[in-house]
Amino acid sequence: MAKITVTVNGTEQVMDIEPSLLLVELLREKLRLTGTHVGCDTSQCGACTVLIDGSAVKSCTVLAVQADGAEITTVEGLAKDGELHPIQRAFSAEHALQCGFCTPGLMITAIDLLERKGAPTDADIRHAIKGNLCRCTGYHNIVSAIRSAATEMRGATTPMKVGAEVKR
Amino acid sequence: MITHPFTYAAPTTIDEAVKALGRSRDAKVLAGGHSLIPLMKLGLAEPELLVDIGRIASLREIKSEDGAIVVGALATHRSIADSSTIGKALTALAEAAAAVGDLQVRSRGTIGGSLAHADPAADEPAPTLAFDATIRVIGPKGRRDIPAREFFKETFETALGPNEIVVEIRFPAPAGHAGSAYAKFPHPASGFAIVGVAALVAVKSDGTIDRAAIGVTGAAAGPFRATAAERALVGTRGDASAIGAAAAKAAEGVTMLADLTASSEFRKQLVMVHTRRALERALERARG
Amino acid sequence: MHFEGTADIGAPRERVWEFVTDAQRVSRCGPDVQRVDVIDATHFKVVARAGVGAIRTTFALDVVFTELRAPEHAAVRARGHAPGSALEMTNTLDLADAAPGRTTLRWASEVTVSGMIASVGARLMQGAADKVTQQVFACIKEQLDSPAART
Amino acid sequence: MTTATPSTYIGARTPRKEDPRLIRGSGVFTDDVTLPGMVYVSLVRSPHAHARIRRIDAAAARKEPGVVTVVTGKDAEATGVLPVFITVPGMNGSKHMPLASDRARYAGDAIAAVVADTHKAAKRAADMVTIDYEPLPVVVDATKALEPGAPILHEELGTNLVFTYPVKGGDIDKAFRDAEATVKLHIVNQRLIPNAMEPRSVVAKFEAGELTVWSSTQIPHFVQLILSVNLGLSQNKVRVIAPEVGGGFGSKLQVYAEELLIAHLAKTLGRPVKWTEDRREAYLATIHGRDLVEDVEVAAKRDGTILGVRIRTVANVGAYLQAFAPGIPTILHAFIIPGAYRIPAFDCEVRGAYTNTTPVDAYRGAGRPEATFAIERAMDRLADEIGMDPAELRRKNFVPPDAFPFTTISGITYDSGDYGPALDRALAMADYKGFEKRRAEAKARGKHRGIGLSSYVEICGLAPSKANSALGVGWGGYESARIRVHPTGAVQVFTGTSPHGQGHETSWAQIAADAIGVSPDDIEVRHGDTFESPGMGVGTFGSRSLAVGGIAVHNAAQKIREKVIQIGAHLLEASPADVVVEGGKVFVKGVPEKAKAFGEISMAAYLASNLPDGMEPGLEATTYYDPPNFTFPFGTHVAEVEVDPETGTIEIIRYSACDDCGRQINPMIVEGQLHGGITQGIGQALYETAVYDANGQLLSGSMMEYHVPTAADVPPFALDHTVTLTKTNPLGVKGIGEAGTIASTPAVVNAVIDALSPLGIKHIDMPLTAEKVWQAIRKAGEARR
């Protein structure tokens, strides 16, 4: 067993865990944050994407012990004080989700992109979300949603910050 | 899910890490984990001990030092792709790092992990070879510097000795009017390189090619230097016919891999085409 | 998967034959062999951890000599399993006299993997299997070439 | 309540009611359900594609820490056999048990179930179950499986032939005698893996004699029915819940082995049980799609008039027949091959074959993509043969608008259609006329550019119970709805459909809102719980939900409206003929200021003190809707591609589509269905294929090898539509869930072949991977040298 401290969606968690526990298992099984999904075994689908210290990462390919000391943001942590994140609003407004299974991972990856590139082209967006598979939408509306969230985030008076700044 | 139990150590210095590795016959270094963890999930790797070097902060650095660019083993693909130091001097490395997997994998996967794992379809071995980088490793017997050409063996094997850890990769900054580029044909599903070619060229003031180095990954059991193509290029003016003739030699003498996605004959074609494309872009930059 | 190769061994044919048909000795050339149980002269069980680099998995194999024509030809069939996978391997070995005191060992190996390794690990396993097979025969050569083995 | 006028909501781009929970991550999928005392199952699956099971040794697994039990086929016989819902004449059915006990027939066939306190313990112990297999000869290819001497999968049948299914009409011999031009094509419609993003999952608990099952399914009512019959439980004691379901595409249109098994284990162990497949299991043991080979011949006059189509098909059903498998290459494929064309003679024969591969069943489009691919590729080959423009050839043979209702040569009746305008619009969007200039410009850059189209008609709204029955479908095709208006006026709609991304909560609310006269905001649509919905629901598949389930909602809502008007008229002392319900208000026409609120009417219905004489109290309606016919959406899609001759890489430059699904309830959802469908069809055309080796090993067994399209693989889509109402149902709606998949595959392949036709290339089998295209170009180059 290993003792770790992680901050998940702003709340510090101290836990004793098996080293073989994956971060996604910690989130889903120990913390019951089931908005982060598992869609494949091989790091392709991106359904498990979360932010670790501000970077989008596949939580099925990270040991929970590796996240010791990190700040993690999951889909449950995107809305602040009941206010949806612009990406959440955009996904709904642009009909960028159907079954909704891949949606949390896609929104998280989009946030990583938009935090670093305020005005991405459609090609930038498509390239950035290559690691997130969606079988329902054909991506057309997802691209529109990310584009429209970019516009909103650029126009926002205070820049949106999700998770922490990169520390390492 | 990882079903097999293992012991975990998270040292904060390289010395501690080397010592920790000595505690088990079956220990593995964990860097970003993006090669190792997928294998462990599939049950295709079952190390008894994982030594996580992720807490050794010094290994994340990218810096210029004595005419070389030194990339720490824990530099992520993403930090390499985004680094202006690398982008300017080692364009092919930046492009190769940007071509790894996807955004999430690049956020976490490291160059040291990738080189040590030596997947024959990994991207970064190609520029590592083309730039004649040196891989610095530290082990129980101390430090040694392994030239890239000696580092890579075949499929998943390197010159790393027991309990040695890759700590940094030293890329000599190309001198003179040099330019480089990486051209890749990715596996459509996994994103690994079916073929990846890193080309570095330097031109003299009269426009003739002074130096050419071509590293190829994905195509064979291990990454290789396309030496026949390099030789064919040096001394030419790098016009279309010279580049074409050189590219045609890029797979010379190398046994090409074959799999569901690409036969050996298609791989050979891709090596030639991507060598030409990498050379064209590299030359354009060299003449820049 | 099919692999084949030739080894030029610095030992006479009889000694090579003796070695390659001796379960205990030849097994030592297997990758990371953890246990060998000899059932009878032509049948033995092996537990080995096979792999290359970080890739490594444990196989439990039933090995049978299906053909023995001393000292020139042998065929060995190995059947077994690894977690979620099955493996069947047929090896043929042909010995021929080379220069005096030297033997040419021609080997061919037909490997069929089923289950997880076939469906998920194909990209990784082809190269690894080739490598492991090469290593086994390199080891046989080395064992027989080395002066220690001549005692 | 907001004000509105009738038919305000139908046709609006109403944001989805489903979204708020899904974008917050609070939607509950089956694997998110965790119950106290729950145990977990890991299945031991055969690594061999065909093997006799000589002995199963689970002693070591049983001793592992945390293991509760290990169950094999003999222990689980109480689950009964897996159901098949369709029977075609002369069919050789297979006996399919949740756990195979004597023989494994495909790599992935489940042999044993390990139950443990944790998922990890179960998985670890599963590796310790030792099974002594005797490998048997394997057959993977359906055509080979039908040859003499092929290994037989089901010995009791003595053959691998599942069925021979003929569909004929007209004089085919005369058609070929009179032909001035003929073309022949051999088509491989490759096997696909559905890859719903959510892996399948089942959770079951048995408490106080009541079984509750959560399952990632498209058909909760069928699951409930089969569980109750097979496990010997009274149906009112079996509750099946399909919570959030993460995509299905037909792959969750089954009663699966695991559903029976997990329910059985919960019942026998008395503890809640969970099983969730990993992606590898999804590849092996969740149904695959397509996999048929066809030989198509077309007879025509030189002016392009088609005289006849002959087609011979061999369909691979895999190792066992799954629920709907017999109906897909037959009913849904053979009948629709004539497509949008008036074809005087037709001769089709489909044979099905068992092979040592994962069972094949419905995958998005199910039969219709195969049919459309066959006819649309044949049209392009014919156009090429007679030197006619492919668009003109199609137009010439279209069923003309004045011919409807039109009975095709295969014997089905299209109620309405107008194919020309959709073709015209699609061509205009694609700038078809300007294409040759773009081809020349690409050539100057060293690229081959091509344009391809596909005009389709599909059969959907899979419903009419009598027609279904005549075709061998063992269950009615109606759909149900129940609307409950609470005393306060809150409206709940319970539907028998079971969406998994299609947005029924939104569209059904729009339909009910218009019919009742309230706002969709005041309507809650509930689905996927057999204890809430009407007695029987059929489910969501075959683009049927709207044209059947949506109409059931409409009809139930009409009943509510009628009763509201009756009560309103009574309270307002007016004639019912003069009373209207609008914007949540009930009033006499022209006197809106004296309105009763909708809630006052519903309250009156329950107070029951002042109702018209003889009226029952309450405000609730249940309907079952069984339509008179199927529906037949249609359209034309146009793809434009560029091929890099050096690498064989294809880029889709432009994609334009004009579809006609009748009235659109929510155009935003219609477009979303098209985008996703088109992408799946592109996947088949260019990227996706399940590859088996000769030993029956699935080599493309993970997302590392099997290429599910990414955002970088597909272009943006330009969509337009025409509206030709169907007369089959009161809303004139048809269905759009599968149209994109049906239309896009041939459009893309036709475009690539068009790009390469200057090189003399006539056909490349799907998927058109880089290497296949490069090899074709190279061979064409050699041939011309």
Side-chain angles (χ1 to χ4, degrees), chain D residues 168-405:
Chain D
K168 291 179 204 298
D171 187 343
I172 195 71
D173 294 330
K174 181 175 186 306
F176 277 90
R177 269 199 314 275
D178 295 348
E180 295 165 4
T182 60
V183 288
K184 280 188 193 186
L185 272 112
H186 181 72
I187 287 169
V188 179
N189 216 293
Q190 83 274 25
R191 179 180 286 238
L192 303 178
I193 299 178
N195 276 299
M197 291 314 300
E198 180 212 15
R200 281 191 297 128
S201 182
V202 186
V203 171
K205 71 166 182 178
F206 189 71
E207 244 174 45
E210 194 168 295
L211 176 71
T212 307
V213 174
W214 289 259
S215 182
S216 173
T217 182
Q218 299 172 228
I219 47 168
H221 287 89
F222 280 103
V223 175
Q224 183 214 25
L225 179 68
I226 298 299
L227 285 177
S228 104
V229 171
N230 281 28
L231 301 182
L233 292 163
S234 177
Q235 204 175 340
N236 59 316
K237 293 292 175 192
V238 180
R239 177 182 192 177
V240 174
I241 299 169
E244 302 294 347
V245 174
F249 317 110
S251 72
K252 294 171 181 172
L253 168 58
Q254 297 290 327
V255 179
Y256 272 108
E258 292 85 359
E259 288 166 321
L260 280 168
L261 193 62
I262 301 309
H264 166 75
L265 288 170
K267 186 170 164 245
T268 51
L269 296 172
R271 289 176 73 175
V273 183
K274 181 192 276 190
W275 168 82
T276 301
E277 70 182 359
D278 55 29
R279 184 57 63 182
R280 185 188 148 241
E281 275 184 294
Y283 271 61
L284 292 175
T286 289
I287 60 105
H288 292 176
R290 316 275 191 267
D291 202 347
L292 43 82
V293 291
E294 318 206 66
D295 285 289
V296 189
E297 287 175 86
V298 178
K301 288 204 248 173
R302 288 225 71 91
D303 70 356
T305 307
I306 296 178
L307 300 175
V309 173
R310 187 190 288 139
I311 184 160
R312 293 289 176 269
T313 303
V314 180
N316 192 339
V317 304
Y320 302 95
L321 275 184
Q322 290 283 158
F324 293 88
I328 291 159
T330 53
I331 304 164
L332 289 177
H333 165 253
F335 285 100
I336 203 74
I337 290 168
Y341 312 111
R342 201 203 277 268
I343 294 174
F346 182 61
D347 174 11
C348 173
E349 186 188 273
V350 184
R351 288 184 301 155
Y354 291 112
T355 64
N356 297 111
T357 60
T358 297
V360 176
D361 203 306
Y363 172 61
R364 203 172 194 171
R368 290 150 289 166
E370 297 92 313
T372 305
F373 189 78
I375 194 71
E376 287 304 287
R377 279 293 298 130
M379 291 302 277
D380 263 34
R381 284 284 294 111
L382 180 62
D384 183 55
E385 181 70 25
I386 61 176
M388 191 167 174
D389 179 87
E392 285 319 302
L393 178 65
R394 285 171 171 80
R395 194 189 310 280
K396 185 174 184 74
N397 287 286
F398 274 163
V399 176
D402 56 9
F404 292 91

Side-chain angles (χ1 to χ4, degrees), chain B residues 187-208:
Chain B
H187 185 289
S190 74
F192 275 100
I194 291 293
V195 161
V197 180
L200 163 69
V201 288
V203 292
K204 288 192 227 173
S205 48
D206 69 357
T208 55

Side-chain angles (χ1 to χ4, degrees), chain B residues 207 209 233 236-246 276 280 283 287:
Chain B
I209 294 176
L233 211 55
T236 70
R237 302 194 65 86
D239 52 34
S241 70
I243 290 179
R276 199 197 71 222
E280 284 167 356
L283 256 173
R287 288 169 182 148

Side-chain angles (χ1 to χ4, degrees), chain B residues 25-26 28 36 39 42-46 117 119-121 154-157 187 190 192 258-259, chain C residues 32 34 49 52-58 83 116-117 120-121 123-128 131 135:
Chain B
R25 224 185 116 235
D26 196 11
K28 281 275 163 234
L36 191 55
L39 289 174
L42 294 173
L44 293 175
E46 300 177 329
H117 183 59
D119 190 312
E154 291 194 346
T155 312
F156 304 112
E157 287 194 317
H187 185 289
S190 74
F192 275 100
D259 57 26
Chain C
D32 198 359
Q34 310 203 304
R49 286 174 29 87
V52 173
I55 300 170
R56 206 160 289 268
T57 190
T58 306
M116 205 276 287
I117 294 178
V120 179
R123 190 186 78 77
L124 306 164
M125 292 316 277
Q126 168 92 30
K131 198 87 199 170
Q135 281 166 356

